[in-house]
Amino acid sequence: IARFEHVPADVECRPVARERGVLVVPSAHPVAEKPSVSLATLRDEPFITLPEGCGSAVRSIFTTACRTAGFAPDIVQTAPDSWTCLALVAAGVGLHFTTDAAARQMPLDGVVPVPLDDDIAIPPVLGYLVWRRGDRDPALARVLRISEEILPTI
């Protein structure tokens, strides 16, 4: 299961999850109590992201949304995974853009996920079931048949 903006040439896939972007902020941050927040209002905030070279669709969607809102994000720290990003948010280093599904899977001690307003068209982040292009293994065919029941195509 993977997320990407553009399907790599050497794989086949089908979408199995649609996630929305959220900003994770420290619990004491002024927007933590709001039902949603505009990305444009956070233009002067520091941000924590995954590294640029890791091919993160989530990071790419975030930076594109910031440019659409008229600013380049001030990325003050990168971290190798979302768990570390949230720990840095809790420590007050900055804010982190992730998906609602990812935020639900992690401990949220000291942080709050805040949905984004729809003032900027931030596309959903799709999760894909992925397999090698051209793989005709009967076991894969069976897994793909079964997976359609468990992880239906969205």
Side-chain angles (χ1 to χ4, degrees), residues 9-128:
D10 57 342
V11 301
E12 293 182 62
C13 63
R14 63 181 180 79
V16 296
R18 176 176 285 122
E19 303 169 26
R20 291 184 51 119
V22 296
L23 276 173
V24 180
V25 303
S27 298
H29 193 279
V31 302
E33 298 294 322
K34 295 189 178 215
S36 65
V37 64
S38 167
L39 187 58
T41 64
L42 301 172
R43 67 181 340 106
D44 296 324
E45 294 281 347
F47 291 96
I48 303 157
T49 66
L50 298 172
E52 187 172 13
C54 74
S56 169
V58 174
R59 178 191 166 118
S60 181
I61 287 167
F62 168 67
T63 57
T64 299
C66 290
R67 284 193 303 274
T68 301
F71 71 100
D74 179 15
I75 299 172
V76 297
Q77 180 76 49
T78 61
D81 55 64
S82 293
W83 293 79
T84 305
C85 288
L86 266 58
L88 290 166
V89 172
V93 174
L95 312 182
H96 178 62
F97 178 82
T98 189
T99 67
D100 55 352
R104 282 193 302 270
Q105 300 301 317
M106 293 183 270
L108 297 175
D109 298 331
V111 302
V112 176
V114 180
L116 292 166
D117 289 342
D118 291 332
D119 59 343
I120 296 172
I122 298 175
V125 179
L126 298 179
Y128 296 90

Side-chain angles (χ1 to χ4, degrees), residues 103-154:
R104 282 193 302 270
Q105 300 301 317
M106 293 183 270
L108 297 175
D109 298 331
V111 302
V112 176
V114 180
L116 292 166
D117 289 342
D118 291 332
D119 59 343
I120 296 172
I122 298 175
V125 179
L126 298 179
Y128 296 90
L129 182 63
V130 182
W131 59 95
R132 286 187 311 260
R133 181 173 297 287
D135 189 334
R136 302 297 172 235
D137 188 313
L140 173 63
R142 182 166 166 82
V143 166
L144 293 175
R145 261 193 321 278
I146 293 168
S147 72
E148 188 63 49
E149 295 174 25
I150 299 166
L151 295 169
T153 300
I154 57 165

